[in-house]
């Protein structure tokens, strides 16, 4: 295909989708690193819509953090909802992820996400946000960004499309390929929604088709590859002087297989396109690629398509079309009424520009000359068969809404099944044809010749040959419309510039010099198709020799050819399907294009008889025989019997007709007759009779035909009305379906966002569940969770020491299991908790002697709903043993107190009674139970409130001293109920395992009454 609008004179080719590639899980070596301050790093567009979050996660999880590239994520977002996409993506990658800001400079190793309800563009490495001008259902944010990315980053632009709905991105990726960028698409088999990847693949401008997790490795490999291929190009250029250098061999292979010569294309452009194909096959040497082309004819076809630049869109460079409209108005105003406006658009590619010109001309005619009835005849040509067929159908994806105004869409397009088709009246004005501008004769007498961005791909010599041809093809005053990167500086005398920026010129009256036209290699006939591959010819020959079947079939053919009359099998239309015997005496090829119809091939004198017999056989479905039919041969007149047999069996031949020619004995008088024109041998009556017979038959056929036509016309009218009604219903249904589709797409986008939030919540709950499991396992507390029916929902492993439970016992009632507890009321306690919503706590013992604190409490959900019960068993065996030991110690201490007869009292740090024996209680006249907590200074009527005693006791309580005891302290005390006496006291510091306890022991060694 030929170009539409490249961004610069040397524009890259496009790549057809290679077979689904497989990439290594990690690059063989680290990717090339770009300095942060440099603006020459790749910029990667990550686009998608529904289902792309999962693909983005796989992509970023397999991406190295130091790739040296910037990533811009553009997805379809709801304009009314804040986007959480940056936060979601940040979980998958260590790269900084942020929402794109207006005027933000793009930096490598950063991720930028498009905000909701904004269109994103890039200029000189900075991002800019624009308010959308399209309705939300018609927005194409991926295409919008790719158009600016392709022009700004050029060969550093990378387009990666993931899962999604619609066809957004299929136009922008062409611009990326046109500017030497790379395009990668998710394998539709791995996409949650494959509409967007399949629309991209349908453009045939895709380099790699991979699963998301394989893309990072292939991306890094691609970034490194241009450095490796540079030496290959230099080697090829150095070998230009050699007679059989690699590039010329490639041209020979392409011309041999396709018939097209690319030797006149610019060398640099051709090199870049060949390198793209070499990169896709990881071939580094041009000579190796030549060998690969020789061994793979399919690759020659792929390279041929790579060299055909087919990047185009509707009304590309809208300003240029508006300028062209201004110059078309005076030209159309001068046209004669009912005349034809002739236009030629070579290199039409897939037809967008040809239809754009037709629409523009139609609008201009309605503005300038609505009553002149001007007709439009536009010739759109290309050398690509696929491109011409696509353009002729006029069916385009719905993303053209970004380039075509709603008014033009409504007037010139019909929306069908998610596509827009050019209306028939517009398509009828355009003639698409195969045409090689390099060698085929041009279309002439043109009012407008539009050849935009084709000349820049051709060599300067071929451009010099083409421009005089364009001058010759245009009418005086006709317009030449070129691309913005093309010029006519060498042919100022042939064309008058009208607009320098958009390269619109007018043909001057200067006559084209004949030598210039003679330099152009006009071809008188279309290039013949290439000879088939030798292997194909050999295969055909072998298969031909094998045709014929078994021996019996061969014998039957010989017998039929020798002894059966000549015959043909035809269908109801007269088309010959099978020929038996030699029928040359009765049938002969018709003049003009080859035809195998018996009515065309029948000799003149047989035409009437064969037609009548076939018609009667079809009407009656019976055999028809006609005798004494005359046919003129080299030996004279020959009589024959014509038989038409209607075949009803076998089933494969039902409805066909067998026409048999049988020669009859012919009298000498008839055979030697000269024919009806002389009238020497035939009587006048016989001639008149024959003519009347033919006339009657003709009248009968005419009447029958008229009746059949009237009947068919009525049926067609009825069918047409039904079809119109059905078409209206289908259109209404289609509109409803499209509305539902847009609503569903919007709803789907919202559901995808909610799904991501739910996934995040699920991860949090999973983490919480793991934390709870580890918490329960670390406490080693036996816990049983029951539902409202007493059925086990789950339990912790320590339960097995109390109740013999296994993981398979979940779902069974707890009452079915025997426990190791010396407790028979467990089931009743559970039911009581469920009925009364109380908590039961008790200590129970197992048959092994272990003690547990059992707590049964209701299981409450977050919304305070009772959903069963929880039983916990806390091991308190050690506490029980300690309690028993303490009880034994207490009993032993009490026994010791009763056993010691000497009065003894223990005092705490405040010199209050901690404990005392009965002897001391009897001595001070207070019961032992009431004595605890009494101050020593108040006992015996204050008899112990004496400084020598108190000082000694305080000295023992002081932890900083080394004194641990005192003895034989004499103290005169008046005891209750006794005369005044002298006590002999001793004191001891109470220790526990060598450490002070903050208590002292005071004992009375001797008591002596005082005299008097």
């Amino acid at each position: 295909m030929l170009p539409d609008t490249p961004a610069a004179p040397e524009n890259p080719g496009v790549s057809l989708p290679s077979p689904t590639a497989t990439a290594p899980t990690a690059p063989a070596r680290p990717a090339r690193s770009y300095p942060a301050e440099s603006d020459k790093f790749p910029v990667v567009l990550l686009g998608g819509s529904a289902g792309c979050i999962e693909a983005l996660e796989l992509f970023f999880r397999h991406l190295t953090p130091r790739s040296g590239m910037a990533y811009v994520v553009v997805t379809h977002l709801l304009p009314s909802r804040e986007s959480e996409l940056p936060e979601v993506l940040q979980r998958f990658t260590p790269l900084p992820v942020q929402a794109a800001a207006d005027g933000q400079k793009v930096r490598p190793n950063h991720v930028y996400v498009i905000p909701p309800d904004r269109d994103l563009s890039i200029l000189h490495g900075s991002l800019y946000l624009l308010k959308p001008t399209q309705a939300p259902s018609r927005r194409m944010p991926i295409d919008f960004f790719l158009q600016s990315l392709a022009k700004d980053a050029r060969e550093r632009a990378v387009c990666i499309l993931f899962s999604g709905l619609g066809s957004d991105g299929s136009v922008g990726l062409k611009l990326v390929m046109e500017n030497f960028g790379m395009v990668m698409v998710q394998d539709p088999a791995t996409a949650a929604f494959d509409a967007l990847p399949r629309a991209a693949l349908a453009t045939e401008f895709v380099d790699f088709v991979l699963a998301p997790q394989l893309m990072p490795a292939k991306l890094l490999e691609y970034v490194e590859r241009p450095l490796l291929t540079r030496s290959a190009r230099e080697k090829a250029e150095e070998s230009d002087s050699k007679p059989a250098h690699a590039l010329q061999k490639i041209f020979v292979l392409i011309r041999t297989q396709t018939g097209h010569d690319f030797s006149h294309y610019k060398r640099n452009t051709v090199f870049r396109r060949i390198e793209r194909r070499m990169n896709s096959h990881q071939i580094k040497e041009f000579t190796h690629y030549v060998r690969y082309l020789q061994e793979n004819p399919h690759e020659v076809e792929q390279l041929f398509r790579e060299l055909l630049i087919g990047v185009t869109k509707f009304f590309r460079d809208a300003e240029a079309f508006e300028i062209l409209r201004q110059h078309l108005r005076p030209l159309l105003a001068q046209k004669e009424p009912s005349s034809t406006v002739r236009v030629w658009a070579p290199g039409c590619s897939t037809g967008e520009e040809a239809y754009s010109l037709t629409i523009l001309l139609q609008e201009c005619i309605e503005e300038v000359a609505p009553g002149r009835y001007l007709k439009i005849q536009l010739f759109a040509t290309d050398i690509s068969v696929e491109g011409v067929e696509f353009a002729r159908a006029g069916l385009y994806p719905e993303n053209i809404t970004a380039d075509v105004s709603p008014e033009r869409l409504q007037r010139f397009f019909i929306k069908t099944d998610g596509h827009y088709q050019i209306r028939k009246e517009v398509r009828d004005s355009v003639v698409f044809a195969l045409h090689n501008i390099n060698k085929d004769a041009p279309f002439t007498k043109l009012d407008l010749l539009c050849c935009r961005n084709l000349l820049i791909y051709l060599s300067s010599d071929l451009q010099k040959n083409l421009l005089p041809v364009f001058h010759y093809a245009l009418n005086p005053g006709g317009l030449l419309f070129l691309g913005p990167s093309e010029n006519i500086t060498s042919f100022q005398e042939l064309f008058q510039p009208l607009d320098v920026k958009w390269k619109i010129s007018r043909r001057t009256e200067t006559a084209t010099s004949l030598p210039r036209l003679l330099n152009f290699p006009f071809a008188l006939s279309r290039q013949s198709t290439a000879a088939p591959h030798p292997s194909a010819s050999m295969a055909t020959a072998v298969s031909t020799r094998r045709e014929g079947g078994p021996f019996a079939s061969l014998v039957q053919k010989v017998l039929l050819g020798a002894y059966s009359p000549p015959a043909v099998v035809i269908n109801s239309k007269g088309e010959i399907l099978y020929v038996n015997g030699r029928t040359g005496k009765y049938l002969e090829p018709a003049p003009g294009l080859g035809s195998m119809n018996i009515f065309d091939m029948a000799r003149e004198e047989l035409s009437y008889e064969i037609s009548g017999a076939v018609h009667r056989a079809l009407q009656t479905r019976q055999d028809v025989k006609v005798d004494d039919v005359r046919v003129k041969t080299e030996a004279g007149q020959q009589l024959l019997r014509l038989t038409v047999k209607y075949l009803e069996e076998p089933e494969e031949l039902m409805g066909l007709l067998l026409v048999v020619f049988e020669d009859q004995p012919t009298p000498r008088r008839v055979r030697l007759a000269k024919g009806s024109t002389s009238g020497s041998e035939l009587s006048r009556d016989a001639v008149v009779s024959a003519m009347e017979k033919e006339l009657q038959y003709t009248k009968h056929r005419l009447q029958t035909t008229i009746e059949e036509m009237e009947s068919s016309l009525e049926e067609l009218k009825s069918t047409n009305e039904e079809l119109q009604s059905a078409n209206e219903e289908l259109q209404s249904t289609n509109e409803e379906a499209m509305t539902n589709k847009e609503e569903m797409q919007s709803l789907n986008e919202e559901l995808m966002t909610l799904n991501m939030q739910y996934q995040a919540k699920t991860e949090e709950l999973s983490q919480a569940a793991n934390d709870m499991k580890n918490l329960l396992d670390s406490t080693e507390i036996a816990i049983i969770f029951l539902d409202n029916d007493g059925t086990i929902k789950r339990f912790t492993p320590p339960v097995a020491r109390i109740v013999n439970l296994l993981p398979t016992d979940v779902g069974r009632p707890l009452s079915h299991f025997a426990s190791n507890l010396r407790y028979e009321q467990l089931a009743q306690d559970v039911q009581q908790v469920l009925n009364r919503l109380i908590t039961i706590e008790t200590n129970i013992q197992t048959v092994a002697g272990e003690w547990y604190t059992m707590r049964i409490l209701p299981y409450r959900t977050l919304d305070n709903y009772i959903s069963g019960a929880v039983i916990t068993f806390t091991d308190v065996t050690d506490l029980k043993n300690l309690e028993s030991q303490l009880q034994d110690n207490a009993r032993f201490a009490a026994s010791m107190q009763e056993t010691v007869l000497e009065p003894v009292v223990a005092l705490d740090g405040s010199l209050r009674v901690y404990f005392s024996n009965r002897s001391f209680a009897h001595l001070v006249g207070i019961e032992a139970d009431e004595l605890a907590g009494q101050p020593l200074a108040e006992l015996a009527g204050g008899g112990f409130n004496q400084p020598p005693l108190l000082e000694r006791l305080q000295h023992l309580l002081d932890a900083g001293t080394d004194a641990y005891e005192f003895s034989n302290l004499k103290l005169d005390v008046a005891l209750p109920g006794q005369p005044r006496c002298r006590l002999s006291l001793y004191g001891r510091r109470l220790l526990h395992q060598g450490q002070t306890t903050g208590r002292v022991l005071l004992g009375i060694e001797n008591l002596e009454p005082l005299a008097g």
Side-chain angles (χ1 to χ4, degrees):
M1 271 173 267
L2 295 171
D4 259 298
T5 306
E10 293 185 2
N11 213 343
V14 295
S15 174
L16 299 171
S18 305
T20 303
T22 58
T25 56
R29 55 179 174 170
R32 183 171 47 192
S33 178
Y34 295 87
E37 64 274 6
S38 174
D39 60 349
K40 298 302 182 183
F41 51 85
V43 180
V44 183
L45 174 280
L46 305 176
S49 62
C52 70
I53 304 298
E54 180 181 357
L56 287 170
E57 177 182 358
L58 293 174
F59 178 86
F60 281 115
R61 288 195 185 280
H62 290 79
L63 180 67
T64 175
R66 301 296 300 173
S67 62
M69 291 173 270
Y71 303 90
V72 181
V73 179
V74 179
T75 61
H76 294 179
L77 302 173
L78 293 177
S80 59
R81 181 187 293 268
E82 288 294 329
S83 174
E84 298 181 2
L85 188 56
E87 292 78 6
V88 173
L89 295 181
Q90 190 65 78
R91 302 173 186 170
F92 311 145
T93 176
L95 298 176
V97 182
Q98 56 187 309
D102 202 13
Q104 185 175 26
K105 190 73 173 179
V106 175
R107 299 172 58 193
N109 300 317
H110 283 67
V111 182
Y112 305 92
V113 182
I114 184 174
D117 197 26
R118 284 293 182 270
D119 283 334
L120 186 64
S121 63
I122 184 171
L123 179 64
H124 303 315
S126 296
L127 299 175
Y128 295 95
L129 302 178
L130 302 172
K131 189 172 183 179
T133 57
Q134 299 282 348
S137 60
R138 299 176 60 187
R139 281 186 60 205
M140 300 293 170
I142 301 177
D143 279 332
F144 189 90
F145 180 74
L146 284 176
Q147 293 184 33
S148 61
L149 176 65
K151 295 180 180 179
D152 197 66
R154 291 183 55 76
E155 70 276 0
R156 295 179 289 105
V158 177
C159 170
I160 300 181
L161 298 180
F162 295 111
S163 167
L165 300 172
S167 58
D168 192 9
S170 59
V171 172
L173 67 86
K174 296 180 181 180
L175 301 177
V176 173
M177 295 293 291
E178 181 187 24
N179 288 276
F180 294 96
M182 188 266 279
V183 176
M184 191 182 298
V185 173
Q186 181 179 359
D187 186 353
T190 66
F193 298 90
D194 61 356
L196 192 146
R198 292 191 181 279
L201 290 175
T203 65
E204 299 185 349
F205 291 92
V206 178
D207 285 308
F208 304 104
V209 183
L210 297 170
Q213 62 269 25
L214 302 179
M215 289 180 175
K218 180 60 69 175
L219 178 61
L220 297 176
E221 179 185 349
Y222 171 82
V223 171
E224 284 293 312
R225 192 175 298 156
L227 297 178
L228 302 176
T229 58
R230 192 172 300 160
S231 59
R233 190 196 308 180
E234 292 172 356
K235 292 180 181 179
E237 291 175 349
E238 292 174 357
S239 63
D240 283 348
S241 59
K242 299 179 182 179
H245 60 83
L247 185 61
Q248 293 299 330
K249 291 181 180 180
I250 293 176
F251 288 155
V252 170
L253 292 173
I254 296 176
R255 186 176 62 181
T256 302
Q257 183 161 333
T258 66
H260 296 290
D261 186 4
F262 286 89
S263 60
H264 295 294
Y265 273 50
K266 286 187 178 180
R267 290 297 177 91
N268 193 38
T269 301
V270 173
F271 272 126
R272 298 292 288 270
R273 280 154 181 68
I274 294 175
E275 285 177 2
R276 291 189 62 83
R277 296 304 307 166
M278 293 171 61
N279 288 345
S280 64
H281 297 292
Q282 299 184 357
I283 299 175
K284 300 180 181 179
E285 299 292 339
F286 270 76
T287 54
H288 296 169
Y289 186 62
V290 173
R291 181 64 179 270
Y292 185 79
L293 289 173
Q294 290 176 303
E295 297 175 352
N296 298 274
H298 178 69
E299 177 63 20
V300 178
E301 196 71 28
Q302 292 289 90
L303 178 58
F304 169 68
R305 295 182 180 180
E306 185 82 17
L307 294 171
L308 302 182
I309 306 108
V311 181
T312 182
K313 66 176 184 177
F314 283 96
F315 299 98
R316 190 172 189 180
D317 299 324
E319 182 183 350
F321 277 87
E322 289 302 318
I323 299 298
L324 178 63
R325 181 197 298 267
Q326 299 176 11
H327 295 291
L328 281 175
R329 288 170 179 168
L331 186 146
L332 297 176
Q334 298 174 4
K335 297 290 291 185
E336 296 292 331
S338 302
S339 60
T340 301
V341 181
R342 290 171 60 87
V343 184
W344 181 23
C348 67
S349 185
T350 48
E352 286 91 335
E353 188 149 277
Y355 287 125
S356 299
L357 289 170
T358 307
I359 293 172
L360 181 67
L361 285 169
Q362 185 65 39
E363 293 174 346
C364 289
I365 290 174
E366 294 178 357
E367 293 177 8
V368 178
R372 293 176 179 268
Y373 304 104
L374 298 180
K375 299 178 182 178
I376 301 173
Q377 188 174 38
L378 191 147
F379 302 98
T381 61
D382 203 290
I383 64 174
S384 171
V385 178
E386 294 82 358
V388 170
E389 291 179 351
F390 184 93
R392 188 176 289 126
L395 191 65
Y396 297 96
E398 59 182 356
N399 59 3
I400 66 171
T401 55
D403 305 314
V404 185
S405 65
E407 295 77 13
R408 283 172 172 165
L409 282 175
Q410 183 177 3
R411 179 180 176 186
F412 299 104
F413 293 81
I414 300 175
K415 193 170 185 180
T416 57
D417 192 22
H419 291 73
Y420 284 97
Q421 185 171 29
I422 303 289
R423 290 187 180 272
K424 188 175 185 300
E425 54 268 25
V426 179
R427 284 186 281 125
D428 291 344
S429 301
V430 185
V431 178
F432 290 97
L434 292 175
H435 182 277
N436 192 334
I437 194 174
N438 298 349
K439 61 181 179 179
D440 292 335
F443 296 87
T444 58
K445 299 182 179 180
L446 303 173
D447 298 296
L448 172 63
L449 197 158
C450 177
C451 184
R452 303 187 70 202
N453 305 299
L454 169 62
L455 300 181
I456 58 174
Y457 299 101
L458 307 179
S459 64
S460 58
D461 293 338
L462 186 55
Q463 291 184 35
K464 293 178 181 179
N465 291 338
L466 282 176
L467 287 173
V469 174
F470 290 169
H471 182 271
Y472 169 77
L474 284 167
N475 287 329
L479 299 180
L480 176 64
F481 188 21
L482 300 180
S485 301
E486 299 163 337
N487 58 71
I488 54 173
T489 54
S490 301
F491 300 92
Q492 295 291 348
E493 73 279 6
L494 299 181
F495 299 96
Q496 175 190 356
L498 300 178
D499 189 279
V500 178
K501 178 181 179 180
W502 297 111
K503 301 301 187 294
I504 301 175
S505 306
R506 178 185 291 118
R507 180 190 187 273
T508 62
E509 298 297 332
T510 305
T512 304
S513 62
L514 185 60
R516 287 177 172 176
L517 290 178
L518 292 178
N519 290 333
F520 190 79
F522 293 113
L524 298 179
S525 62
R526 179 119 9 232
Q527 176 72 24
S528 61
T529 56
H533 197 271
S535 60
S537 302
M538 293 176 61
T540 305
V542 173
S543 62
T544 303
R545 289 196 299 271
R546 293 181 178 177
E547 292 179 359
F551 179 76
S553 299
L554 294 175
V555 174
Q556 292 175 3
K557 285 189 175 182
V558 173
L559 293 175
L560 288 174
Y563 298 103
S564 64
V568 295
V569 177
I570 64 174
N571 58 16
S572 59
K573 298 180 180 180
E575 297 173 348
I576 298 175
L577 306 179
Y578 184 82
V579 179
N580 179 68
R582 305 183 65 177
T583 58
K585 187 189 300 184
Y586 319 106
L587 306 175
E588 61 181 0
L593 296 176
S595 173
M596 290 295 290
N597 192 288
I598 192 172
F599 303 130
D600 297 333
M601 298 179 64
R603 292 183 179 272
E604 183 179 356
E605 54 271 26
L606 290 178
S607 177
Y608 155 69
E609 297 294 349
I610 293 177
S611 176
V614 169
H615 180 72
R616 291 197 299 274
L618 289 173
Q619 293 290 329
T620 62
R621 296 196 174 188
Q622 296 179 355
D623 297 348
V624 176
K625 292 183 179 181
V626 181
D627 293 324
D628 298 331
V629 178
R630 297 175 181 242
V631 61
K632 186 184 298 184
T633 65
E634 294 179 357
Q637 299 287 340
Q638 172 69 47
L639 297 180
L640 62 88
R641 172 182 295 164
L642 178 66
T643 303
V644 179
K645 182 177 180 61
Y646 186 85
L647 302 180
E648 295 183 351
E649 57 182 15
E651 184 177 355
E652 291 79 3
L653 302 180
M654 183 179 296
L656 301 180
L657 301 171
L658 177 65
V659 182
V660 183
F661 305 95
E662 298 179 75
D663 289 344
Q664 291 182 322
T666 305
R668 180 181 178 81
R669 174 179 56 83
V670 176
R671 185 173 63 253
L672 297 178
K674 295 182 179 179
S676 60
T677 58
S678 65
S680 60
E681 298 292 337
L682 296 177
S683 64
R684 183 178 182 85
D685 293 340
V687 174
V688 172
S689 176
M691 293 181 67
E692 289 179 349
K693 180 179 179 183
E694 183 176 353
L695 180 61
Q696 289 296 328
Y697 174 73
T698 303
K699 289 181 177 180
H700 180 266
R701 284 289 306 276
L702 179 60
Q703 181 63 30
T704 303
T705 302
I706 293 174
E707 292 175 357
E708 291 176 353
M709 288 183 63
E710 291 178 350
S711 176
S712 299
L713 183 60
E714 293 297 329
E715 293 177 358
L716 287 174
K717 287 182 179 180
S718 176
T719 303
N720 183 56
E721 293 176 357
E722 294 176 359
L723 288 175
Q724 287 181 349
S725 176
N727 183 52
E728 293 175 357
E729 295 177 1
L730 287 175
Q731 286 182 350
S732 176
T733 303
N734 183 60
E735 292 175 358
E736 295 177 0
M738 292 305 299
T739 303
N740 293 337
K741 177 185 176 182
E742 294 172 357
E743 294 176 356
M744 290 297 294
Q745 184 171 351
S746 176
L747 179 60
N748 182 67
E749 298 287 348
E750 189 172 348
L751 289 176
M752 292 300 297
T753 304
L754 293 176
N755 184 53
M756 284 304 303
Q757 296 177 358
Y758 287 143
Q759 287 181 355
K761 293 295 183 183
T762 302
E763 293 178 359
E764 294 177 2
L765 290 175
S766 177
Q767 184 63 38
N770 292 332
D771 295 341
M772 289 300 298
K773 179 179 182 302
N774 284 275
L775 175 63
L776 294 176
D777 292 344
S778 63
T779 58
E780 297 184 355
I781 299 176
I783 305 175
I784 303 176
F785 297 91
L786 305 175
D787 61 11
N788 289 324
D789 297 325
T791 301
I792 299 173
K793 293 194 296 184
R794 63 179 59 86
F795 57 88
T796 57
V799 171
R801 294 185 299 176
I802 303 170
V803 183
N804 297 323
L805 294 180
L806 297 175
T808 56
D809 294 330
V810 173
R812 297 177 60 186
L814 181 63
S815 58
H816 288 185
F817 300 92
S819 66
N820 299 327
L821 300 174
R822 292 175 178 172
Y823 189 73
E824 302 297 335
Q825 300 180 349
L826 180 60
Q828 292 84 343
D829 290 347
V830 170
Q831 192 61 43
Q832 183 180 2
V833 168
L834 292 175
N835 293 338
R836 301 177 58 186
L837 303 181
I838 60 175
T839 299
I840 294 179
E841 181 173 354
T842 183
N843 293 332
I844 55 178
Q845 188 180 23
T846 64
V847 295
E850 297 176 336
W851 282 91
Y852 291 91
T853 296
M854 181 185 71
R855 297 180 74 244
I856 307 176
L857 64 159
Y859 183 100
R860 297 180 183 271
T861 62
L862 294 177
D863 52 359
N864 202 26
Y865 175 75
I866 303 301
S867 182
V870 181
I871 307 176
T872 62
F873 298 91
T874 305
D875 189 355
V876 294
T877 303
D878 294 339
L879 293 177
K880 280 290 185 180
N881 293 337
L882 181 59
E883 181 183 355
S884 176
Q885 183 179 356
L886 291 175
Q887 290 177 354
D888 291 342
N889 292 339
R891 286 193 295 270
F892 178 76
S895 175
M896 289 291 293
Q897 291 178 17
E898 298 297 331
T899 304
V900 176
L901 300 178
E902 196 176 82
V904 177
V905 62
L907 304 172
D908 60 14
S910 300
L911 297 182
R912 292 177 178 273
V913 177
Y914 181 72
F915 76 89
S916 66
N917 62 0
R918 291 182 180 232
S919 298
F920 185 83
H922 178 72
L923 184 65
V924 296
I926 302 175
E927 294 294 332
D929 295 339
E930 299 176 359
L931 189 60
Q934 295 283 342
L936 177 64
E938 296 178 3
L939 298 179
F944 291 98
N945 189 14
Q946 299 184 31
L949 174 61
L950 297 178
E951 291 176 0
R952 297 282 184 94
L953 291 175
Q954 288 292 346
H955 190 62
L956 292 178
L957 289 172
D958 187 1
T961 63
D962 295 334
Y964 289 92
E965 62 181 4
F966 64 86
S967 301
N968 198 21
L969 175 63
K970 302 298 183 177
L971 192 69
D972 295 339
V973 179
L975 297 175
Q978 296 184 22
R980 191 174 180 82
C981 60
R982 177 171 290 177
L983 302 180
S984 179
L985 304 175
Y986 67 89
R988 301 287 186 272
R989 180 188 292 182
L990 293 177
L991 303 175
H992 177 69
Q993 295 182 355
Q995 301 295 326
T996 60
T997 62
R999 300 182 182 91
V1000 294
L1001 179 69
L1002 178 64
I1004 302 175
E1005 294 178 329
N1006 190 18
L1007 185 150
E1008 297 177 358
L1010 295 177

